[in-house]
Amino acid sequence: MNKKIFYAIWLMTITVLISCIAFLMVISYNRYTQEQMIQLRNETELVTRGIAMNRESYLKDLDTENFRITWITSEGRILYENGTDVEGMEVPLEQEEIQGALANGYGESSRYSSVSEKQLYTARKLPDGTIICLSVTLASIWALLARISPVIIAAALAAWWLSRSIAFKLPKKIVEPLNDLTLEEQMSTEKAPVYEEIRPLLKRLDDQYKQIQKDREELERTSLIRQEFTANASHELKTPLHVISGYAELLEHGMVKEEDIPSFAGKIRAEAQRMTKLVEDIIDLSKLDSGGKDMNRENTDLYRIAQNAAESLEAEAEQNQIRLSVEGENTIIAGIPQVLYSIVYNLCLNAIKYSDPGNDVRILVENRDNEAVLSVTDHGIGIPQEELDRIFERFYRIDKSHSKEVGGTGLGLSIVKHGAKIHDAEIKVSSEVGKGSVFTVIFPK
Ligand code: ADP
């Protein structure tokens, strides 16, 4: 991070420095050249007048260290040049300033004579046709740059040093308060955050932190439920096993009278059946626990499902002397058929189990606009109001002995609840002790 910041600052400083120097150099050099040209122009006027008045004698007396003065004929032959003895030699007439003088009486130009030097030229035609030329030598912009280069290098080094010290101190200064902050402090409304800019980040961290805590609590809760469930399931399985092994032992040792053997065998079979039902329910429930992810949803007719469930419960109903009926109409929902079947089956089985002989159980499937409604009505023993919340818990039974007597496992309504949840369905129960119960499951379409 330090290195990155250092390079960024250093690059920026150098860029600014170079741009400023270049800008200033170009502006001031142009200005300087212009001023020199103005001076040269004035000088040319003076010399012109001097020559007009005093001819050569004026030139001889002139102190012109800074300028070169060349006096030529209109053919280019040199009449005089200060400081040299070039009389009689020729100068090329095509030079811009001389061309200007020949054409308009006055001309000027500037040229680089070398990388380090620049020349300014003026030429003025005298009334007798001769031409007076003046020139001055200036240092070129590159020469000036070379002259100030030590200052530039010093400034660059200073910028380098400054960038380095900023780059190595700045991150620490920025990060220090971040390392010291606590989420609670920052998210409390009274205190201003360390940096307003990081508020969204802190908010996200806070949300994630809360989510993690929630997930952890949920995990602890489900793990507790699992432990409880395992303990309960083992206990529930142990009881019939004890009964079975007890009866089997009696039979083994010949301690059962010949005529009692069928009734003992029947008891063993009943317990084994209870165990089978229990294991089946546990398997169903564990499948539902995974949220039904690996189960396929398809368009399913809830009415057909209800008919199938009622059909398979016919024997059970007959045995309990219950009249079972299915009413309603074909109602298609996107669902998992085996789960829907479990819902109807368990509700219907309960209705049969907890009804007195001679009563009716009615399954009704209603096809409404946005929902499919399944209701199972019985005229059985009913459920006390205060128990309505608890009956969906695993292994919860209002009357344990009665439930066992009728072959209950305590898991039926748990299966219904989970199955409904997978289908985003809502369950409603209305019940009155001694009068009966209505279980309604409302499926969204
Ligand atoms: P179980 O296997 O014991 O029937 P459930 O989970 O299906 O277990 O039901 C839990 C308890 O709710 C039952 O033990 C019973 O006391 C009560 N219950 C369920 N359905 C009915 C009903 N239709 N009428 C009366 N009580 C019911």
Side-chain angles (χ1 to χ4, degrees):
M1 182 149 126
N2 291 3
K3 262 198 174 149
K4 264 190 183 170
I5 295 180
F6 164 66
Y7 283 126
I9 299 177
W10 163 241
L11 206 75
M12 196 182 71
T13 324
I14 286 294
T15 313
V16 171
L17 194 72
I18 289 175
S19 320
C20 284
I21 290 173
F23 183 72
L24 284 174
M25 284 284 295
V26 170
I27 297 262
S28 49
Y29 190 73
N30 279 346
R31 178 116 193 96
Y32 167 66
T33 316
Q34 273 169 12
E35 273 167 11
Q36 287 295 318
M37 191 54 116
I38 291 170
Q39 208 182 336
L40 192 64
R41 229 177 269 155
N42 293 340
E43 214 64 50
T44 311
E45 288 313 309
L46 285 174
V47 172
T48 310
R49 272 184 218 163
I51 290 175
M53 274 154 57
N54 301 326
R55 305 296 290 177
E56 274 129 291
S57 63
Y58 168 79
L59 287 171
K60 299 268 157 56
D61 297 340
L62 205 59
D63 175 24
T64 54
E65 263 185 20
N66 295 332
F67 309 102
R68 199 175 76 205
I69 301 177
T70 314
W71 189 19
I72 58 170
T73 65
S74 57
E75 289 82 34
R77 199 165 47 80
I78 297 175
L79 295 170
Y80 167 84
E81 184 162 303
N82 64 330
T84 54
D85 188 17
V86 286
E87 246 164 80
M89 289 174 77
E90 305 240 321
V91 294
L93 286 179
E94 58 272 12
Q95 303 209 13
E96 198 185 328
E97 69 282 1
I98 297 176
Q99 284 294 320
L102 284 171
N104 311 313
Y106 178 77
E108 61 186 38
S109 74
S110 65
R111 288 188 288 278
Y112 279 95
S113 50
S114 72
V115 184
S116 60
E117 282 187 347
K118 186 178 185 175
Q119 306 271 356
L120 303 183
Y121 299 94
T122 58
R124 153 79 65 205
K125 199 160 106 180
L126 300 179
D128 63 0
T130 58
I131 297 166
I132 189 87
C133 304
L134 264 76
S135 76
V136 66
T137 306
L138 310 177
S140 75
I141 194 162
W142 305 115
L144 285 179
L145 202 65
R147 244 179 262 168
I148 61 160
S149 61
V151 181
I152 298 176
I153 292 170
L157 284 175
W160 182 83
W161 181 80
L162 208 68
S163 314
R164 244 183 90 87
S165 52
I166 291 176
F168 283 87
K169 278 186 193 142
L170 196 66
K172 207 170 159 224
K173 263 203 148 148
I174 295 174
V175 170
E176 221 159 38
L178 290 178
N179 284 334
D180 290 343
L181 64 78
T182 63
L183 257 182
E184 292 85 38
E185 219 176 75
Q186 292 297 308
M187 294 318 289
S188 78
T189 39
E190 304 110 54
K191 220 177 155 201
V194 179
Y195 301 120
E196 192 57 47
E197 296 82 353
I198 62 163
R199 203 188 263 281
L201 171 75
L202 292 176
K203 170 99 183 54
R204 230 173 28 243
L205 282 177
D206 190 50
D207 288 350
Q208 274 172 8
Y209 177 68
K210 280 183 187 146
Q211 185 59 45
I212 288 169
Q213 264 186 333
K214 236 162 77 183
D215 289 351
R216 204 168 54 198
E217 276 164 22
E218 178 67 18
L219 208 71
E220 277 168 12
R221 205 178 64 83
T222 49
S223 117
L224 205 73
I225 290 176
R226 280 228 170 94
Q227 273 174 16
E228 230 170 68
F229 181 72
T230 317
N232 281 335
S234 324
H235 179 77
E236 295 285 335
L237 284 167
K238 222 168 70 187
T239 318
L241 273 175
H242 273 315
V243 177
I244 290 171
S245 68
Y247 285 140
E249 214 177 313
L250 290 176
L251 286 168
E252 191 185 13
H253 294 115
M255 290 165 81
V256 184
K257 282 189 225 146
E258 189 75 29
E259 63 267 29
D260 289 338
I261 289 179
S263 113
F264 268 67
K267 278 175 185 159
I268 289 176
R269 195 171 62 90
E271 288 302 325
Q273 259 173 357
R274 238 172 65 72
M275 273 181 71
T276 310
K277 174 83 171 78
L278 191 64
V279 171
E280 276 169 5
D281 279 359
I282 290 173
I283 291 170
D284 274 359
L285 207 54
S286 77
K287 272 188 201 155
L288 294 174
D289 264 345
S290 64
K293 273 176 221 113
D294 42 356
M295 294 188 239
N296 282 341
R297 268 167 202 265
E298 52 194 78
N299 282 339
T300 314
D301 184 358
L302 196 57
Y303 184 68
R304 280 285 307 276
I305 297 271
Q307 279 180 322
N308 289 346
E311 236 165 71
S312 46
L313 282 169
E314 228 158 55
E316 193 90 18
E318 220 164 88
Q319 209 182 342
N320 289 277
Q321 295 167 37
I322 301 291
R323 280 185 306 276
L324 194 56
S325 66
V326 183
E327 289 169 31
E329 55 187 319
N330 296 83
T331 304
I332 308 290
I333 57 168
I336 306 161
Q338 63 267 41
V339 176
L340 294 172
Y341 178 86
S342 288
I343 293 174
V344 189
Y345 184 91
N346 280 298
L347 287 177
C348 201
L349 181 62
N350 279 352
I352 296 168
K353 282 190 308 193
Y354 302 108
S355 287
D356 293 326
N359 273 318
D360 286 342
V361 166
R362 187 176 75 136
I363 308 174
L364 176 65
V365 178
E366 287 170 284
N367 191 1
R368 296 197 192 147
D369 278 349
N370 299 317
E371 53 199 26
V373 183
L374 164 83
S375 51
V376 179
T377 310
D378 67 57
H379 305 285
I381 60 172
I383 304 161
Q385 212 60 31
E386 66 276 9
E387 299 279 3
L388 287 179
D389 281 343
R390 300 210 60 191
I391 51 172
F392 292 96
E393 286 172 21
R394 294 171 181 198
F395 294 115
Y396 188 80
R397 294 117 153 172
I398 298 169
D399 179 349
K400 206 163 172 112
S401 60
H402 181 57
S403 164
K404 274 193 173 163
E405 212 172 279
V406 294
T409 60
L411 292 176
L413 287 182
S414 291
I415 293 171
V416 172
K417 181 176 128 185
H418 273 73
K421 196 172 153 202
I422 288 176
H423 288 88
D424 298 317
E426 187 193 352
I427 305 177
K428 286 182 180 164
V429 193
S430 69
S431 184
E432 209 176 313
V433 177
K435 290 222 164 125
S437 316
V438 184
F439 282 79
T440 312
V441 190
I442 304 160
F443 297 89
K445 266 195 193 159

